Amino acid sequence: MLVQRLLGYGQPNTAATDDDDEGDDSGTLHQNFRATLRHPETMAVELEALNADSSDLQQPVTLNPAAKLVMASAATLPGQAPRKNPLMLTAPEHLLLWEKSGEPLIAVSQLDTRTAPLVSSIGGKLLHNTLSAILASPSLLMRCFLTSGSSAPLGMDLVSAAAFCDNAHVTAEVASLAVALDTGIGSIERLLRRDSLALDKPALSRAAAILALLVGSLPLDGDKAISAMMIRITRVIIRMVYPDVVDHANDGPALGWFYRYAQNSDMRQQWMMWWARVPVVVVRRWIAVLHADALDSVERLLSGLTNDRIIAMRLTEGGDSVPWVGALELLRLLNDANEQLCNYQFDFAERLTSQSAGATVRDTINTLEFCSLEILKLLDMDKELIRWMDNMRFRFGSARMQLQVRDRWAEENIFNLFLYPFLIDQDDKMFLLVTEVHNRMAQRYLAAHGRQAELVQSQRMVNIDAYSEQQVRADVLPEWPLMSSSLTDVVRASNPYLVLSVRRSSLVQDVMNSLLGDKAGMARVRFPLKVRFVEGGEDGVDMGGVQKEMFALLMPQLLAPERGLFVYTDDHNKRYLWPNAASPHSLADFEAVGALLGMAFTNGILIDSTTAPLAPLLVSQLAFSRCSLNTAKMPLDDLMALVARSFSELTSGLQLLLDWDESTQGSVEDIFCRAFEISATGVGTVSLIPNGENVSVTGANRQHYVRRYLEYTAYEHVRAQISAVRRGFMQAADGIIFRTLRPSDLVEWLCNDEYNTIDVDGLEQTTTYDDEYTKDHVVVKRFWRVVRGLDQNQLRQLLAFVTASDRLPFGGYHNITFVVQRNGPDSDRLPTALTCFGRLLLPAYATDEKMQKQLVAAISNYSGFGLV
């Protein structure tokens, strides 16, 4: 009776006669069933929502005879051509028939490549019944979209699943889909509360992934119910990715509650691969909800009168920190997945598309989308950074440092936003870099003074008076065991600065001797830098301006191809510099170059592309990256674009090889006459593949040849020199903030020409005034009228005259100090500048013509420093 009511079998057929045979019954069955598919609302009366308990399905059994009847209904009708029933694609065992409230229901019990498109296209009651049945039964949900592919993340057919979920919210009612999802989430949560060791984690993860896709496909539109379901799924995912573990305090520095999330398991890798493939539109919805939940969690965690111990108690209460940091941890997982995707660490190079959202294949998630200014506003980030630095000293410092900690347990269980650096945007990182550098230099400064005080105290204890001894025996070094054997070391240890005393006439030699000639020179590159020009009577006090000028003069001389350390990437363009593989200099010289770049970076000195025109491909390799670029899996077009910015002439020639049309221009092998080898400067001829000299480049293998040519040129040819530059750079610049910077951040710092163009309006808005001058003063207005008449070259000269750098600082005008100060009445004196303090000393010139004449003369002919 159930099957008859469901399929219309056995109902009166007025068109049939007594002579109709069994085939007529089959034709009636076929017509009724196809009518049902065309009008899904006639499949059954309005259904009540299934309860959360799967036992509410009354005897959900597979009725193979009924399923066979459905499939048999595809038989040809009398006198008609064969017509296929859509459910012919469904195996009999995948049809689920049951009865609820006296009404027959039909559903597909397993979604896969064949059944999912059918269910989503029919929609209506079939889609509703199918989702209700599957989501109410974890065992059914875990069997959906199962694939045997070894490379499929979570063993899941993500292509079919994403397409189904993408269409499901269009063809189904959002309200009914939300009810079914709530049921499915509840069933998974109940399973997780049971014995976790007995669970099939891969299958359960696949079920949670389907739920994440389904709910992520729903438009948010401020729907709190959908957001609440996504938060529940978040905690389900985190509990499966990071199972409960015991804190192993003896395995390195104690990580407290965070030890659970520091594990990099195979399950975490599977989930990263899965999230990296999910369509962009779904990931963006998840990021939005996770940001809101993380903001709420951090606000609650920090609420009230709290200290580190109270926060640690909240995180460890009940042994479950997931409600507090679950959203942050899933954000970290999504960020890591996106980073690995951008670095081509997976077997796929792009995300799946979302047809309903109109996304393109190469649509990607920008790293800035993971930043959250709202969360950062909850805390004083400068203080947070200093707290984190102190905590790092506790974790990795000496035993003496650890004994000074008053509350060891609170230090081990500290909560700090620098555990989640992806929340911080690029501009904030540069501000925080200044804070970190100042703190580190202050620690070294105080330590040096402490050693000096200890030395003085030791001298007093043994009744040594250095001053009196010098007065008695002038020009004679005292014969004290400590001073006579280690005088240089003692002086160096008590010196709080790295002091470079240099001459303008031999700048490169003096700097390199200070770093490489002194055995402790490279060891002090992280100390505060002070520069002195020691010839020509320059008595300037280095408050930042002197060192800026030194770098502006040093780097062009040091990096010039004539010196032999670097060569131009292109013979004709001569825009970028690249390490010279045939350089007569040692690797230590390259390391010193890297140290100087790192010193400029940590001291806030911007080196533009005119001062140090290093190739962007070289600069990107100086960054500290936990996820390196995998060029072997990188699409050739992307690799060409990456290398082309630094080697434009080389890539143009290789592109000609790729575009060669053999049908009209001749064969590649005959025209180009190339083998799989390269003639490299400094090393001779190198085979790009084993026995490459005997393998000709043809139309069939030219793409492989181009790939290997690019890889060797960009990453293999000068690997030793680039590694040396990177070692020096890391020695000077390594730190908490530096390790959060991406290669693109460093490229923007060194290779971005954006800050070379000076906007007078932007400069005027950030300028301040002193000593009677205001923005409305007649002389100040005259000054800005003259400045607006200067060309870009003169504007850069003005900026260098006042700040010692012809380039805007990283972050733009907000990070520049530019002060215009009155310097007496109208006179014939030229303007002067306190470069170390960013002050222009401007007399009150009476006319525009005189202002322009004196200002241009000053900025075009300045040189040297003095005391005023």
Side-chain angles (χ1 to χ4, degrees):
M1 183 63 180
L2 171 63
V3 178
Q4 292 176 357
R5 294 176 59 191
L6 178 64
L7 303 179
Y9 180 72
Q11 294 180 358
N13 183 1
T14 56
T17 64
D18 294 338
D19 297 330
D20 286 341
D21 56 12
E22 187 176 352
D24 295 326
D25 292 334
S26 176
T28 302
L29 171 63
H30 181 87
Q31 290 174 329
N32 289 336
F33 188 74
R34 287 193 61 81
T36 299
L37 293 182
R38 285 196 302 270
H39 304 285
E41 65 276 5
T42 64
M43 184 173 285
V45 297
E46 285 294 323
L47 298 175
E48 296 177 359
L50 292 173
N51 295 330
D53 194 339
S54 59
S55 62
D56 196 46
L57 296 177
Q58 299 177 10
Q59 297 179 350
V61 296
T62 298
L63 303 178
N64 283 339
K68 291 178 180 178
L69 284 175
V70 173
M71 299 186 69
S73 66
T76 57
L77 294 175
Q80 296 184 13
R83 299 176 64 186
K84 288 188 177 180
N85 182 340
L87 288 182
M88 278 292 293
L89 298 175
T90 303
E93 61 272 14
H94 292 171
L95 286 178
L96 186 66
L97 305 177
W98 77 95
E99 185 175 356
K100 180 178 177 65
S101 303
E103 292 297 331
L105 309 179
I106 184 172
V108 176
S109 65
Q110 182 170 326
L111 296 172
D112 53 29
T113 305
R114 297 180 304 164
T115 61
L118 167 68
V119 174
S120 61
S121 63
I122 293 177
K125 295 299 182 183
L126 179 62
L127 177 61
H128 176 90
N129 295 346
T130 298
L131 289 176
S132 299
I134 289 177
L135 295 179
S137 173
S139 60
L140 292 180
L141 185 59
M142 288 186 284
R143 288 201 298 267
C144 289
F145 302 110
L146 179 64
T147 182
S148 59
S150 58
S151 61
L154 303 177
M156 180 179 181
D157 181 5
L158 185 55
V159 176
S160 300
F164 174 79
C165 296
D166 193 26
N167 294 324
H169 82 275
V170 177
T171 56
E173 295 181 1
V174 174
S176 63
L177 183 55
V179 171
L181 279 168
D182 184 72
T183 302
I185 298 170
S187 63
I188 299 296
E189 288 174 331
R190 285 192 297 275
L191 281 178
L192 280 176
R193 285 195 292 267
R194 300 174 185 172
D195 184 9
S196 59
L197 297 178
L199 295 176
D200 184 354
K201 287 295 181 66
L204 200 60
S205 294
R206 187 164 53 254
I210 296 173
L211 294 174
L213 266 182
L214 274 170
V215 73
S217 300
L218 297 177
L220 290 174
D221 297 331
D223 194 325
K224 294 183 179 180
I226 295 177
S227 298
M229 286 191 291
M230 296 177 79
I231 293 171
R232 290 168 62 192
I233 296 175
T234 295
R235 296 175 182 177
V236 167
I237 293 174
I238 293 301
R239 288 190 170 99
M240 285 189 291
V241 174
Y242 304 106
D244 293 332
V245 294
V246 179
D247 182 10
H248 300 282
N250 296 325
D251 298 339
L255 297 178
W257 64 268
F258 190 71
Y259 183 87
R260 173 179 185 178
Y261 307 104
Q263 311 305 306
N264 189 18
S265 62
D266 179 67
M267 181 59 68
R268 188 178 190 275
Q269 291 294 326
Q270 290 289 312
W271 273 100
M272 273 204 299
M273 290 178 61
W274 187 85
W275 279 112
R277 196 82 165 107
V278 170
V280 166
V281 62
V282 176
V283 176
R284 287 200 172 108
R285 287 170 182 155
W286 271 97
I287 291 175
V289 171
L290 292 173
H291 273 157
D293 186 39
L295 177 63
D296 178 68
S297 299
V298 175
E299 280 183 325
R300 290 186 293 109
L301 185 62
L302 304 178
S303 62
L305 298 176
T306 58
N307 54 33
D308 285 346
R309 186 168 186 83
I310 294 176
I311 294 174
M313 291 175 63
R314 290 175 178 175
L315 283 169
T316 57
E317 185 178 4
D320 186 13
S321 57
V322 174
W324 300 104
V325 298
L328 289 171
E329 287 302 328
L330 188 54
L331 274 172
R332 183 210 301 279
L333 192 68
L334 266 62
N335 176 73
D336 291 349
N338 192 68
E339 186 175 354
Q340 291 206 25
L341 177 66
C342 293
N343 285 284
Y344 305 95
Q345 293 292 324
F346 302 121
D347 293 331
F348 46 87
E350 66 276 334
R351 296 179 179 275
L352 297 176
T353 59
S354 176
Q355 300 300 330
S356 62
T360 61
V361 173
R362 300 311 303 270
D363 194 6
T364 58
I365 301 290
N366 192 299
T367 54
L368 295 178
E369 296 184 50
F370 292 95
C371 303
S372 175
L373 182 60
E374 290 76 14
I375 296 178
L376 300 184
K377 286 180 179 178
L378 297 176
L379 295 163
D380 185 330
M381 293 305 295
D382 284 340
K383 293 181 179 178
E384 283 293 290
L385 176 59
I386 294 174
R387 284 179 62 246
W388 188 242
M389 293 174 68
D390 291 340
N391 187 261
M392 291 297 100
R393 293 188 186 104
F394 157 69
R395 294 180 187 273
F396 299 98
S398 63
R400 179 181 177 184
M401 181 66 189
Q402 295 192 15
L403 289 176
Q404 293 176 353
V405 176
R406 290 178 298 176
D407 194 337
R408 182 184 180 91
W409 182 82
E411 287 291 331
E412 291 176 353
N413 288 279
I414 190 173
F415 173 82
N416 194 288
L417 285 184
F418 284 93
L419 287 166
Y420 308 98
F422 53 84
L423 296 172
I424 309 171
D425 66 14
Q426 189 181 48
D427 291 340
D428 287 331
K429 287 178 182 178
M430 299 313 297
F431 285 118
L432 292 169
L433 177 65
V434 175
T435 300
E436 180 185 8
V437 170
H438 286 177
N439 182 271
R440 290 190 187 280
M441 290 184 176
Q443 292 288 334
R444 286 172 170 77
Y445 181 89
L446 294 174
H449 276 289
R451 288 190 289 270
Q452 187 178 36
E454 290 178 359
L455 174 62
V456 173
Q457 183 66 23
S458 300
Q459 291 173 349
R460 289 175 179 174
M461 291 177 64
V462 296
N463 197 25
I464 296 175
D465 188 339
Y467 177 78
S468 299
E469 186 74 14
Q470 287 293 318
Q471 293 299 315
V472 173
R473 300 189 297 173
D475 300 326
V476 177
L477 288 177
E479 297 180 356
W480 307 329
L482 174 64
M483 298 297 288
S484 60
S485 62
S486 307
L487 179 61
T488 303
D489 292 335
V490 170
V491 173
R492 184 185 299 116
S494 59
N495 187 356
Y497 300 104
L498 169 61
V499 180
L500 297 180
S501 299
V502 296
R503 297 163 293 177
R504 291 180 183 269
S505 58
S506 56
L507 186 57
V508 174
Q509 179 182 350
D510 291 346
V511 171
M512 298 298 280
N513 286 340
S514 298
L515 293 180
L516 301 177
D518 188 345
K519 65 178 182 179
M522 290 291 289
R524 297 180 65 83
V525 294
R526 292 169 71 86
F527 278 71
L529 175 64
K530 294 294 181 182
V531 175
R532 295 174 55 219
F533 287 106
V534 295
E535 70 176 12
E538 298 186 51
D539 299 321
V541 177
D542 188 6
M543 299 299 293
V546 182
Q547 55 189 257
K548 287 181 181 178
E549 176 156 346
M550 185 205 74
F551 277 102
L553 297 174
L554 171 68
M555 299 312 293
Q557 299 179 39
L558 180 62
L559 304 180
E562 296 79 17
R563 191 166 294 276
L565 284 167
F566 291 83
V567 294
Y568 286 114
T569 57
D570 297 326
D571 294 334
H572 300 291
N573 190 5
K574 293 186 177 181
R575 180 181 180 185
Y576 291 123
L577 293 172
W578 188 254
N580 183 5
S583 173
H585 297 271
S586 66
L587 293 179
D589 292 330
F590 286 95
E591 193 169 339
V593 172
L596 287 168
L597 292 172
M599 290 161 58
F601 179 77
T602 54
N603 284 275
I605 302 171
L606 287 174
I607 301 177
D608 60 16
S609 56
T610 57
T611 303
L614 298 175
L617 198 57
L618 167 62
V619 176
S620 66
Q621 297 182 61
L622 301 182
F624 177 87
S625 179
R626 295 180 177 85
C627 180
S628 59
L629 187 67
N630 188 343
T631 58
K633 295 182 179 179
M634 195 174 185
L636 184 57
D637 290 343
D638 293 352
L639 183 59
M640 285 280 285
L642 177 67
V643 179
R645 184 177 177 186
S646 302
F647 296 87
S648 57
E649 293 180 7
L650 170 66
T651 52
S652 296
L654 293 176
Q655 189 63 50
L656 178 64
L657 172 62
L658 292 175
D659 296 339
W660 192 262
D661 187 357
E662 291 188 301
S663 63
T664 60
Q665 298 173 295
S667 71
V668 167
E669 185 175 4
D670 294 337
I671 301 300
F672 288 88
C673 300
R674 295 283 188 93
F676 270 77
E677 59 183 7
I678 184 174
S679 180
T681 304
V683 294
T685 302
V686 178
S687 293
L688 297 176
I689 60 174
N691 196 31
E693 63 276 8
N694 297 321
V695 179
S696 298
V697 178
T698 66
N701 62 18
R702 55 182 163 180
Q703 290 192 347
H704 183 43
Y705 169 78
V706 170
R707 175 182 293 278
R708 286 296 301 129
Y709 200 110
L710 294 173
E711 290 175 344
Y712 182 83
T713 301
Y715 299 100
E716 300 174 19
H717 182 206
V718 291
R719 179 176 295 167
Q721 288 80 2
I722 292 179
S723 297
V725 175
R726 187 175 186 274
R727 282 197 305 272
F729 190 88
M730 288 283 292
Q731 187 169 352
D734 195 15
I736 293 174
I737 299 300
F738 171 72
R739 296 196 174 205
T740 68
L741 297 178
R742 301 176 179 89
S744 58
D745 298 332
L746 280 185
V747 171
E748 182 173 353
W749 173 66
L750 266 174
C751 308
N752 192 355
D753 295 330
E754 173 188 352
Y755 301 124
N756 286 346
T757 302
I758 300 173
D759 176 30
V760 177
D761 291 335
L763 183 61
E764 183 180 6
Q765 290 175 4
T766 57
T767 299
T768 58
Y769 307 94
D770 197 5
D771 197 5
E772 297 186 17
Y773 280 166
T774 65
K775 66 178 182 178
D776 296 322
H777 196 281
V778 61
V779 176
V780 171
K781 291 184 176 180
R782 180 174 295 124
F783 168 75
W784 287 114
R785 284 198 300 271
V786 170
V787 170
R788 282 186 168 82
L790 302 178
D791 58 30
Q792 279 295 318
N793 183 52
Q794 292 173 321
L795 288 174
R796 284 193 289 271
Q797 289 178 337
L798 172 63
L799 197 63
F801 180 71
V802 179
T803 68
S805 174
D806 65 351
R807 186 186 184 202
L808 294 172
F810 196 87
Y813 298 96
H814 296 293
N815 296 336
I816 194 173
T817 300
F818 197 97
V819 183
V820 179
Q821 178 178 336
R822 180 183 172 90
N823 192 25
D826 182 21
S827 67
D828 291 331
R829 290 188 301 166
L830 294 176
T832 55
L834 299 177
T835 305
C836 301
F837 304 98
R839 285 180 174 264
L840 173 65
L841 305 181
L842 184 69
Y845 298 120
T847 64
D848 289 13
E849 292 75 14
K850 190 173 184 179
M851 174 79 74
Q852 181 178 20
K853 177 182 176 181
Q854 299 297 87
L855 183 62
V856 171
I859 65 178
S860 302
N861 299 283
Y862 78 94
S863 178
F865 291 86
L867 295 177
V868 296

